[in-house]
Amino acid sequence: MSSIEITLPDGSRQSVPPGTRPIDVAQSISPKLAEAAVVAKVNGQLQDLNRPLESNATLQILTPKDPESLEVYRHSTAHLLAAAVLELYPETKLGIGPPIETGFYYDFDRAVPFTPEDLEKIEKRMWEIQKRHLPYERVYTKKEDGLKKYAEAWMKCELIQERAGEVFSEYTLGPGFIDFCRGPHVPDTSKLKAFKLLSIAGAYWKGDEHNKQLQRIYGTAFFTQKELEAYLKRIEEAKKRDHRKLGKELDLFSVQELAGPGLIFFHPKGGIIRKQLEDWMRDQYLKRGYSLVYTPHVARFDLWKTSGHANFYSQNMFSRMELDDAEYQLKPMNCPFHILIYKDRQRSYRDLPVRLGELGTVYRYERSGVLAGLFRVRGFTQDDAHIFCTPEQIENEVVDCLQFAADTLRTYGFDEYEAELSTWDNGASGKYDGAPDQWQLAENALQRAVDRLKINVKRIPDEAAFYGPKIDVKLVDAIGRKWQLSTIQFDFTLPRRFELEYIGEDGKAHQPLMVHRALYGSIERFFGILVEHYAGAFPVWLAPVQAIVLPITDRQIGYAGDVRKQLEEAGIRAELDDRSEKVNLKIREAQLQKIPYMLVVGDREQQNGEVAVRNRKHGDQGAKPLSGFIAEIRQLIDSKAVSE
RNA sequence: GCCGGGAUAGCUCAGAUGGUAGAGCGGCUGACUUGUAAUCAGCAGGUCACGAGUUCAAUUCUCGUUCCCGGCUCCA
């Protein structure tokens, strides 16, 4: 065969000699394309630009515009990191070094831990190697030879044992570096223009805590310095919004060392916000056909044996406590309690669906290292509800839940969200509880519900809870981060364990279906997400202080007090700053507290019964009659406007 | 839980190769009476996280504990 045929994405064809490289084809199309090229896609597979084409193929040249090329680029940067580490610390053993959503990492086994200073040194060495313009070259080794070659590198040996075929590929980076790797890579280090090492962390080999702990170096890389800087700026922005920092600055909540980690104290200002969240949710329960219930925080341990938590959830529960008659257990979940209410009397099909909702506080033992602000705590309150219904009712119930979740998100100013449907493995592994027809019914109901609402859902096989399939809703916050929020989960296990029943039309007992659902998930965590989403500048209806009256001199204190009183009578949370300070200072402090409205009152306003309105975002709005301002702010509060 | 880093005034942080500490902000007092992001002056605040050890001497060095931070694993 004297030539092979290459089909390009636009459908055009080229005849080229075998052994032609994708980069040559790119060059023939345009030197500019060759310059921009990062990697090739040959017959749908990513491949090195320098790897010769041996037979007819479709070929696409990927440039920074293609998302896949960034992964390759970052993977190559990870190799650069490994090469730099080996030059500086030759005794280090290499683990794996993949690209991740925000950059890349590489895992190392080394007796001495890396320090932040090492990180700087390593990054410097990376730039030095980058400047050598070393090629990434693909070479092949027989498995048996490879195992010998990597005898010293225990992790690589394991990987080769597990993953390599008879002959496997390796990539060199100059004369001194070679790594077992599937590739592909960028042609050489001159392609790598913008990268930065970010942090050091411990990480278990293969993610298993029984394995050896390695040292992971995280970094990030972008095609341009500009993108890198934008990313670093985003990290800075996220730090500024950190709910732990704002929680202290705005006096919203605290964690007390004397009380214990992961236990949250809501201060008065945080308490007001939390009350809004709770009131709204309880009102919604009642509007949407839920019954509001209250249940205890502890129960006999026997209850948790019946529910099964004593077995499969024990490592997440607080220790049992001994009372005179029996052992008691602080509740890690609300479901058994709601089930007991359901079971307290006989249910007819006419009673269904039964929807029992609660803001239920649960306690879970979380390992100390995982606790984080409001996002991961040991005591938290779920907006938890359980729906007991017939198979015929299930689809409508799921639709209502999803609608409810979407309304919740919209109310708090989240316009963007994603949904995931986690399904079982069709019984392949036996790790899922419940009958196949139950799984079928539930998964179909979930799928039809999202279809009816035209929600885009990502289906994730084999990710269901062992007791049933679920839909998870993830919101996207103001700076593009995703947070797991609402969850709607089927449960086939608990109705069986508790022998739940309803009497059907046929006069016989049937087992109801049960759905767990939580929309905020945890009020604490949702609160934290809100703090970060709004960077502490809460919508007026949530703001702890909605307006503050700022008299310019002591002469207006009397009038300012009247203004405040009228605001309070109109149901507005108002404060008065009657200190003998300059109005500039009062404004500054009110601004830093992110109070939505500052009402400046001087002699002029006092004379005319007015207030000079300053908005935290839009600044001075000029003077207006107090009654007019009250009408405006009431409108914002009553409509739960998310911006003013 | 594990790896690494950290804890100094109410807050943010500086500091000494071991000789018991400092700034800014805040607080208090007084003066100023001020028009849209910091008025001035004075004063008072610290078992340098906690507990042991080494030392003539420990906030500083060593060990342990607690809590916090970045990760791993897990998760609302």
Side-chain angles (χ1 to χ4, degrees):
Chain A
M1 195 164 63
S2 60
S3 73
I4 57 174
E5 197 171 66
I6 303 301
T7 309
L8 296 165
D10 63 359
S12 67
R13 284 156 199 233
Q14 281 192 13
S15 274
V16 298
T20 300
R21 303 168 309 164
I23 190 68
D24 303 324
V25 179
Q27 191 69 41
S28 75
I29 296 168
S30 99
K32 236 175 150 176
L33 177 64
E35 174 60 34
V38 177
V39 68
K41 201 172 200 179
V42 179
N43 296 326
Q45 298 277 323
L46 292 177
Q47 208 169 96
D48 298 327
L49 288 166
N50 286 327
R51 187 165 162 192
L53 299 161
E54 301 298 351
S55 54
N56 293 350
T58 62
L59 173 66
Q60 189 185 352
I61 303 295
L62 301 188
T63 67
K65 286 189 197 115
D66 302 287
E68 290 157 298
S69 57
L70 185 59
E71 283 180 33
V72 171
Y73 180 88
R74 286 172 167 173
H75 185 194
S76 299
T77 313
H79 271 231
L80 179 60
L81 164 61
V85 167
L86 285 188
E87 283 193 11
L88 290 165
Y89 314 100
E91 76 285 3
T92 308
K93 307 282 179 256
L94 300 184
I96 57 167
I100 54 176
E101 210 176 318
T102 54
F104 61 88
Y105 66 79
Y106 212 109
D107 283 344
F108 303 97
D109 179 19
R110 177 170 179 252
V112 189
F114 292 115
T115 65
E117 297 78 65
D118 291 339
L119 221 58
E120 280 173 39
K121 254 164 60 188
I122 295 166
E123 190 178 308
K124 220 173 126 200
R125 182 60 67 99
M126 284 171 73
W127 283 111
E128 285 169 28
I129 301 174
Q130 188 271 349
K131 288 198 192 88
R132 293 179 212 152
H133 293 191
L134 298 176
Y136 288 85
E137 273 178 305
R138 186 183 178 91
V139 297
Y140 295 93
T141 306
K142 283 200 185 124
K143 187 168 182 173
E144 47 187 311
D145 298 341
L147 287 173
K148 275 181 218 150
K149 187 162 83 185
Y150 286 100
E152 294 291 301
W154 63 277
M155 291 182 284
K156 290 293 168 190
C157 274
E158 260 189 70
L159 292 174
I160 291 165
Q161 284 288 11
E162 287 165 21
R163 299 185 187 179
E166 268 318 290
V167 173
F168 65 82
S169 64
E170 295 174 284
Y171 279 81
T172 65
L173 188 51
F177 181 85
I178 186 157
D179 193 9
F180 168 60
C181 178
R182 194 174 46 190
H185 282 283
V186 302
D188 72 82
T189 58
S190 69
K191 283 274 178 198
L192 308 175
K193 306 280 196 207
F195 53 80
K196 184 168 175 59
L197 299 184
L198 297 174
S199 59
I200 315 158
Y204 298 104
W205 172 235
K206 292 178 186 165
D208 185 335
E209 62 180 322
H210 302 295
N211 286 339
K212 182 159 189 187
Q213 188 153 34
L214 310 170
Q215 293 179 63
R216 175 170 297 179
I217 295 181
Y218 281 96
T220 194
F222 290 90
F223 287 112
T224 63
Q225 192 64 29
K226 220 171 130 186
E227 289 168 289
L228 174 63
E229 275 159 23
Y231 172 73
L232 296 175
K233 234 180 166 165
R234 258 204 312 283
I235 296 179
E236 283 306 307
E237 178 59 29
K239 267 192 203 151
K240 272 191 237 155
R241 288 167 177 261
D242 191 312
H243 71 278
R244 292 167 297 197
K245 184 170 175 282
L246 288 169
K248 189 176 275 185
E249 287 172 7
L250 304 178
D251 198 14
L252 302 176
F253 70 92
S254 65
V255 179
Q256 298 291 330
E257 186 165 343
L258 189 56
L263 302 169
I264 306 303
F265 290 72
F266 280 84
H267 294 198
K269 288 190 172 142
I272 285 175
I273 297 169
R274 177 166 174 160
K275 179 176 184 294
Q276 306 307 312
L277 304 185
E278 293 186 353
D279 287 351
W280 185 85
M281 187 54 82
R282 288 204 182 95
D283 289 349
Q284 292 297 315
Y285 275 172
L286 297 180
K287 276 185 196 158
R288 294 171 190 260
Y290 289 72
S291 308
L292 195 51
V293 300
Y294 293 83
T295 64
H297 287 212
V298 290
R300 283 207 175 109
F301 190 65
D302 286 349
L303 174 66
W304 305 103
K305 284 188 195 155
T306 304
S307 69
H309 292 95
N311 274 328
F312 62 77
Y313 208 68
S314 61
Q315 75 282 8
N316 277 302
M317 301 200 296
F318 275 56
S319 301
R320 284 171 263 175
M321 47 194 143
E322 192 83 41
L323 271 71
D324 33 7
D325 62 329
E327 289 184 312
Y328 283 75
Q329 172 67 53
L330 212 43
K331 71 173 168 183
M333 292 194 185
N334 300 301
C335 16
F337 294 74
H338 295 177
I339 285 172
L340 292 181
I341 294 175
Y342 178 90
K343 252 179 94 79
D344 192 54
R345 67 179 183 84
Q346 196 177 52
R347 303 286 176 173
S348 151
Y349 72 95
R350 296 173 196 273
D351 300 329
L352 301 188
V354 169
R355 307 184 192 95
L356 302 178
E358 174 176 19
L359 301 184
T361 303
V362 296
Y363 293 88
R364 298 184 184 173
Y365 171 74
E366 299 287 353
R367 297 155 104 193
S368 58
V370 307
L371 301 171
L374 296 174
F375 288 162
R376 196 69 185 281
V377 297
R378 284 184 173 157
F380 60 99
T381 302
Q382 296 179 304
D383 61 316
D384 204 2
H386 296 88
I387 298 169
F388 305 90
C389 66
T390 68
E392 295 73 44
Q393 292 167 333
I394 199 67
E395 189 179 322
N396 279 334
E397 289 303 312
V398 175
V399 167
D400 286 351
C401 284
L402 284 168
Q403 196 83 62
F404 193 172
D407 290 347
T408 303
L409 287 164
R410 210 182 40 243
T411 299
Y412 291 97
F414 301 104
D415 304 323
E416 215 183 317
Y417 60 90
E418 297 174 354
E420 290 176 353
L421 169 54
S422 300
T423 62
W424 74 331
D425 59 355
N426 292 310
S429 65
K431 67 182 170 184
Y432 292 103
D433 201 15
D437 58 318
Q438 281 182 312
W439 280 90
Q440 217 40 260
L441 173 81
E443 291 186 6
N444 289 345
L446 289 172
Q447 184 66 55
R448 277 202 306 273
V450 293
D451 290 345
R452 260 169 66 182
L453 293 173
K454 298 191 171 62
I455 294 172
N456 247 336
V457 73
K458 196 160 39 159
R459 223 183 153 94
I460 310 183
D462 201 14
E463 271 299 314
F466 80 88
Y467 48 77
K470 61 175 180 176
I471 290 179
D472 289 324
V473 178
K474 290 183 176 171
L475 64 77
V476 181
D477 78 4
I479 56 172
R481 295 172 300 179
K482 289 168 195 162
W483 302 96
Q484 154 79 47
L485 196 74
S486 307
T487 181
I488 301 169
Q489 311 188 339
F490 273 82
D491 191 331
F492 309 134
T493 303
L494 287 176
R496 196 189 65 236
R497 283 179 163 274
F498 281 93
E499 299 174 319
L500 297 187
E501 291 181 351
Y502 66 91
I503 306 301
E505 258 176 297
D506 56 5
K508 292 190 184 114
H510 300 267
Q511 193 168 90
L513 285 163
M514 176 175 166
V515 176
H516 306 255
R517 39 107 296 166
L519 305 185
Y520 294 149
S522 140
I523 294 181
E524 284 76 2
R525 202 175 69 147
F526 185 66
F527 185 103
I529 293 170
L530 279 182
V531 172
E532 303 210 357
H533 181 58
Y534 289 111
F538 296 99
V540 181
W541 73 283
L542 291 172
V545 179
Q546 295 168 319
I548 184 163
V549 188
L550 309 178
I552 291 175
T553 76
D554 293 352
R555 282 196 303 283
Q556 297 93 25
I557 287 182
Y559 174 63
D562 287 348
V563 169
R564 182 201 186 174
K565 200 161 157 244
Q566 285 187 55
L567 290 167
E568 284 178 335
E569 277 163 5
I572 294 153
R573 296 188 287 273
E575 282 188 355
L576 167 62
D577 187 347
D578 58 5
R579 295 174 302 168
S580 300
E581 294 289 353
K582 280 183 78 173
V583 73
N584 278 319
L585 180 85
K586 297 183 183 183
I587 286 172
R588 176 180 159 81
E589 293 186 354
Q591 249 343 115
L592 291 174
Q593 284 298 305
K594 301 172 197 277
I595 297 170
Y597 288 98
M598 288 149 266
L599 305 179
V600 176
V601 294
D603 288 334
R604 293 202 296 272
E605 287 75 19
Q606 178 164 0
Q607 223 136 56
N608 304 329
E610 292 183 333
V611 290
V613 178
R614 178 188 166 98
N615 176 274
R616 63 184 168 191
K617 286 178 190 150
H618 310 302
D620 193 352
Q621 309 283 290
K624 58 184 74 172
L626 177 58
S627 57
F629 170 73
I630 289 178
E632 279 173 35
I633 192 172
R634 273 259 49 106
Q635 204 277 327
L636 290 172
I637 295 168
D638 295 338
S639 66
K640 298 188 167 47
V642 293
S643 64
E644 59 271 3

